[in-house]
Amino acid sequence: MELDATDLALLAALRDGLPLVPEPYRVLGESVGLGEAETLARLKALQDAQVVKRFGVVVRHHELGYEANAMAVWDVPDAAIDRLGENLAKDKAVTLCYRRRRALPDWPYNLFCMIHGKSADWVKGELARLAEQHGLAAYPGAVLFSTKRYKQRGAWVGRGATEAA
Amino acid sequence: MDATDRAIINALQGGFPLCERPYAAAAADLGLAESDLIARLERLLADKVLTRFGPLFNADAMGGGFLLAAMKIPPADFERVTELVNAHPEVAHNYAREHAFNMWFVLGAEKPERIEQTIAAIEAETGYPVHRMPKLDEFFIDARFAA
């Protein structure tokens, strides 16, 4: 989807969230000079094109008790990665799933997923199940638990965009 | 947080309606009044249970540049390097992880060339290489966290 200047203004106005008023889209539209109907139509198009993945609550994992997070990675053949990634993404334990470029020679892994849980033991158990269930145990892999979060702040377009980088 | 707060968080992680009175529509599904839902969302934001109410953006579609990067830092030098890395406004989401690659952060900038400039600065300041882990594909998930 090609974003025009009005779309970008709308996204910038949404950076901090939707107004908490009975007619939020009318108020949002007014702030960028759009009527309510056009605002709704543009937001629907942005959502259909996955520029905005979804509207709703964006939770802080820690405050909900999701204190354990692990990044699990595997080195899988390029020919198999789409199927494996799509299967992982459908698994209820997985919160993010990406294919990334390998950083050779030190980092051979190309399939990344994140798992958040209320305890490290739960996350470990789910990882073992995932690897077994999705046929990943056959590939070289690693699990990286986070030990400390130093900074959780959006750069540039705000708290929205870097979550998904 | 009470049971109603939990129900709101669980129900509204996606699919908030695009219509003229979306809070009224969502509140009706939860058996709440529109004003009650709005007041509870305000409180959950004030209490920092929620980061934001509204859109979850797709970084790739926003333009600009984003990159996941990792570094291997000897433990004795970790704190010094953390301070140098975090001092850059382009750095977000810096996590320590248990691995030889023990520092993981996201770089974000409106102008993509700024990412490479920041990496060069971090390498010069810290004396360690920054490993780039660019995203090639995202397997989409409707992320849900049960409250």
Side-chain angles (χ1 to χ4, degrees):
Chain A
M1 175 181 186
E2 199 65 35
L3 302 181
D4 67 17
T6 307
D7 291 320
L8 292 173
L10 202 51
L11 290 168
L14 270 172
R15 184 182 309 188
D16 292 323
L18 203 55
L20 289 164
V21 297
E23 298 168 284
Y25 302 116
R26 185 181 60 73
V27 170
L28 176 74
E30 272 175 8
S31 74
V32 294
L34 288 180
E36 186 175 36
E38 185 173 1
T39 303
L40 286 166
R42 282 180 180 265
L43 291 177
K44 176 152 193 324
L46 289 167
Q47 196 170 349
D48 288 346
Q50 292 255 7
V51 175
V52 173
K53 291 190 203 175
R54 57 193 170 83
F55 281 90
V57 297
V58 181
V59 300
R60 285 178 193 257
H61 312 147
H62 277 255
E63 278 65 15
L64 285 180
Y66 288 82
E67 289 175 8
N69 89 74
M71 187 171 79
V73 296
W74 293 273
D75 173 13
V76 307
D78 291 341
I81 197 166
D82 283 344
R83 177 179 55 81
L84 292 166
E86 281 161 19
N87 288 345
L88 270 184
K90 285 186 198 128
D91 195 289
K92 63 178 174 15
V94 172
T95 44
L96 293 165
C97 189
Y98 300 115
R99 177 186 184 185
R100 295 189 181 277
R101 199 174 73 199
R102 298 177 176 94
L104 296 170
D106 292 350
W107 184 265
Y109 309 112
N110 57 344
L111 179 60
F112 287 58
C113 79
M114 293 294 307
I115 298 187
H116 291 77
K118 294 190 177 180
S119 74
D121 282 346
W122 183 89
V123 171
K124 284 177 188 159
E126 286 298 291
L127 278 168
R129 179 188 61 75
L130 275 176
E132 188 63 33
Q133 187 173 330
H134 300 292
L136 288 160
Y139 301 111
V143 175
L144 288 75
F145 274 92
S146 77
T147 49
K148 187 164 179 186
R149 177 181 56 168
Y150 283 94
K151 192 168 181 181
Q152 187 168 19
R153 182 186 62 64
W156 172 53
V157 77
R159 301 162 280 278
T162 55
E163 283 157 10
Chain B
M1 279 210 296
D2 63 14
T4 303
D5 292 332
R6 291 176 194 281
I8 289 169
I9 292 171
N10 290 335
L12 293 187
Q13 288 185 37
F16 188 69
L18 287 168
C19 64
E20 291 177 11
R21 297 288 291 271
Y23 295 104
D29 289 341
L30 286 158
L32 297 173
E34 179 187 47
S35 58
D36 192 20
L37 176 60
I38 289 174
R40 283 176 180 269
L41 288 171
E42 281 173 349
R43 184 170 46 73
L44 290 167
L45 284 164
D47 291 348
K48 302 197 185 300
V49 174
L50 303 182
T51 305
R52 188 173 65 250
F53 185 79
L56 187 71
F57 299 108
N58 176 5
D60 295 327
M62 305 287 293
F66 292 95
L67 182 70
L68 177 69
M71 298 177 77
K72 290 197 276 193
I73 310 297
D77 212 7
F78 199 87
E79 287 298 330
R80 179 187 74 91
V81 173
T82 300
E83 280 185 28
L84 290 169
V85 169
N86 287 356
H88 291 271
E90 293 82 4
V91 171
H93 296 226
N94 192 351
Y95 282 87
R97 294 191 180 276
E98 291 173 329
H99 191 273
F101 283 84
N102 53 357
M103 184 181 293
W104 291 77
F105 51 88
V106 170
L107 293 161
E110 186 163 4
K111 297 196 188 313
E113 60 269 27
R114 188 80 204 117
I115 302 287
E116 282 301 318
Q117 292 164 1
T118 305
I119 287 175
I122 290 173
E123 290 183 332
E125 290 162 11
T126 66
Y128 298 103
V130 174
H131 299 268
R132 297 160 184 79
M133 308 272 179
K135 184 199 300 185
L136 301 178
D137 262 317
E138 175 165 4
F139 302 103
F140 280 102
I141 292 170
D142 188 16
R144 280 172 187 275
F145 293 92

